[in-house]
């Protein structure tokens, strides 16, 4: 179970205070497929970063698997993140000096999977996102949408129970986007929880639940 | 006038050859509003990088303003680019240590515009993309869509006759996207040429002409 209870995230820049999130509260059960929508700057990525244990809230309680993250130190958060969460970043966040294949292998390196198994699982993941013929390319040798698909393959390769995807189809044409959504549906059907930010109403309609944000506040949390 | 005559772009990675563009030919008149669409990896960004004098073709002739770019050295290309072309990059390409305002001022620095005029033109451009209250933020202190809008303001600030935009609304919600398209329509109405890559059919339909790509080849060039 994921539970946000009056989560706030406040940034202070010189004398200005920016409330990126203001009393966000919701619960997500295991196996749900949730879309998060809202205007640019409304706090979506901030929610995903807190859910993914990449940022801490300024106040409020975040329970992941019924554990209170506030009581965990950074190392425990990192361990939880590497074992349980697959993250597709809005800006892909690929390592520039690693090939597509090496980038996808990273979560398996953290999980101490052996070299041969790592390679075959990563080749399979890259095949599922349509990039079998780009495995040796560096990120700078890939198109925008190809980089995004490498980031998706990396997030899914060790089959994490929770997948957080920030605009996973933003740089993809409609056919490639449809392939990715099929992949996400298959994974969700196996019981993994998916929380996905999108600006595309057609993509959001494929989730089973919508959380809508405006100016850091949740304006819709169900259905 | 912009003219591509049998432009090819070939990348060689170890023993593999990738034809990113294969005999692309088209002409674009001054003042046109053209959309470029095609699957992920089909060569769209490669076309825009050659149009924007950021990359040279492997073969074929690119005429900009009736000048043959092959006969120009890198410094002449850079001068042409800085004076005539506004570029919105697919990955924004903002300078990480400059604020939003300083990033937008950059083309005016190149054009030797004085400090006061630079600041007022840049504040106006940031206002037009809805970011008046984020001018002092660094790129890392901005959301994805806010960074994209800073990149758009930077491309438009010195009113270049040719605007090249690579997925300008990819990270924006539909309202913010609509605001940007209104801005582009206004600029085109004043006579500036706009060539825009997009995956969004709704955005492409707002241009007056479509060039469609598949596997590095042009499969549709008009209408
Ligand atoms: N430096 C490079 N070395 C090798 N291959 C490259 C390089 N840059 C691009 N490519 C390849 O060239 C092809 C075209 O790339 P391009 O960036 O133009 O595609 P695109 O149409 O913009 O795709 P997207 O919609 O995903 O952004 C891609 O398949 C890519 O892998
Ligand atoms: N480090 C920071 N310092 C100051 N303000 C920040 C920082 N990071 C984000 N913000 C602000 O917090 C707000 C929410 O940002 P967030 O990235 O969550 O938005 P978003 O909904 O993901 O937007 P987008 O759809 O454009 O990606 C934005 O207005 C942004 O300017
Ligand atoms: Mg975001
Ligand atoms: Mg591209």
């Amino acid at each position: 179970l994921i539970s946000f209870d009056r989560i706030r995230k406040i940034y202070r820049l010189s004398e200005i205070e920016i409330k990126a999130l203001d009393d966000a509260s919701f619960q997500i059960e295991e196996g749900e497929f949730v879309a998060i929508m809202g205007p640019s700057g409304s706090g979506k990525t901030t929610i995903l970063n807190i859910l993914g244990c990449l940022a801490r809230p300024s106040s409020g309680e975040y329970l992941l698997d019924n554990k209170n993250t506030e009581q965990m130190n950074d190392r425990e958060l990192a361990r939880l993140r590497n074992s349980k969460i697959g993250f597709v970043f809005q800006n892909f966040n690929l390592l520039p000096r690693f090939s597509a294949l090496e980038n996808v292998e990273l979560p398996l390196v953290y999980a101490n999977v052996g070299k041969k198994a790592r390679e075959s699982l990563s080749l399979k993941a890259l095949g599922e996102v349509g990039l079998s013929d780009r495995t040796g390319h560096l990120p700078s040798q890939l198109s925008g949408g190809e980089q995004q698909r490498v980031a998706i393959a990396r997030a899914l390769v060790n089959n994490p129970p929770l997948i957080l995807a920030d605009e996973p189809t933003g740089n993809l044409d409609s056919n490639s986007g449809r392939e990715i959504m099929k992949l996400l549906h298959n994974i969700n059907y196996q019981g993994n929880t998916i929380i996905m930010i999108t600006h595309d109403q057609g993509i959001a309609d494929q989730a089973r639940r919508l959380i809508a944000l405006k100016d850091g506040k949740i304006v819709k949390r169900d259905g």
Side-chain angles (χ1 to χ4, degrees), chain A:
Chain A
L1 180 72
I2 286 171
S3 163
F4 259 36
D5 183 18
R6 278 165 304 176
I7 295 280
R8 285 188 170 198
K9 183 70 175 177
I10 295 172
Y11 294 108
R12 276 178 200 77
L13 274 198
S14 40
E15 62 287 334
I16 309 168
E17 197 182 78
I18 290 178
K19 261 192 201 148
L21 278 183
D22 191 3
D23 279 358
S25 298
F26 56 80
Q27 294 195 338
I28 295 176
E29 308 272 333
E30 216 176 309
E32 285 203 64
F33 194 155
V34 182
I36 298 180
M37 288 189 96
S40 171
S42 58
K44 304 179 297 296
T45 295
T46 304
I47 281 189
L48 226 63
N49 286 347
I50 293 171
L51 281 171
C53 303
L54 291 162
R56 288 184 187 269
S58 306
S59 65
E61 209 180 57
Y62 169 33
L63 297 183
L64 177 57
D65 259 2
N66 284 326
K67 290 182 207 87
N68 189 337
T69 53
E70 209 174 339
Q71 288 147 8
M72 295 179 196
N73 62 28
D74 286 356
R75 242 185 55 232
E76 286 170 300
L77 277 187
R79 214 181 314 151
L80 185 66
R81 196 166 63 227
N82 288 332
S83 59
K84 297 248 180 224
I85 302 174
F87 208 114
V88 184
F89 293 88
Q90 189 166 5
N91 63 350
F92 319 145
N93 245 349
L94 299 179
L95 296 184
R97 289 198 200 133
F98 284 37
S99 70
L101 186 68
E102 290 165 337
N103 264 284
V104 174
E105 284 189 18
L106 268 179
L108 301 172
V109 173
Y110 283 126
N112 289 322
V113 172
K115 181 105 189 82
K116 260 206 173 130
R118 269 197 335 245
E119 226 172 84
S120 75
L121 285 168
S122 301
L123 285 171
K124 181 169 169 286
L126 280 170
E128 284 173 342
V129 297
L131 289 176
S132 297
D133 55 352
R134 294 282 184 274
T135 59
H137 285 228
L138 295 177
S140 61
Q141 297 167 333
L142 292 170
S143 78
E146 291 171 346
Q147 292 174 38
Q148 185 157 45
R149 286 182 278 159
V150 172
I152 293 167
R154 181 180 64 183
L156 304 181
V157 75
N158 67 348
N159 199 17
L162 174 60
I163 292 159
L164 304 175
D166 201 334
E167 296 285 343
T169 63
N171 278 274
L172 299 178
D173 57 298
S174 36
N175 283 340
S176 306
R178 209 168 294 137
E179 291 300 311
I180 295 304
M181 288 312 293
K182 241 194 263 170
L183 198 59
L184 291 179
H185 279 298
N186 286 346
I187 290 166
N188 177 250
Y189 186 72
Q190 286 159 22
N192 302 54
T193 308
I194 299 182
I195 303 173
M196 173 182 73
I197 293 173
T198 183
H199 282 306
D200 187 323
Q201 189 64 52
I203 298 285
D205 288 346
Q206 297 186 39
R208 285 193 301 277
R209 183 178 161 194
L210 175 68
I211 290 178
L213 273 186
K214 196 171 186 321
D215 296 331
K217 287 190 179 59
I218 292 185
V219 292
K220 184 177 170 144
R221 81 193 60 236
D222 274 320

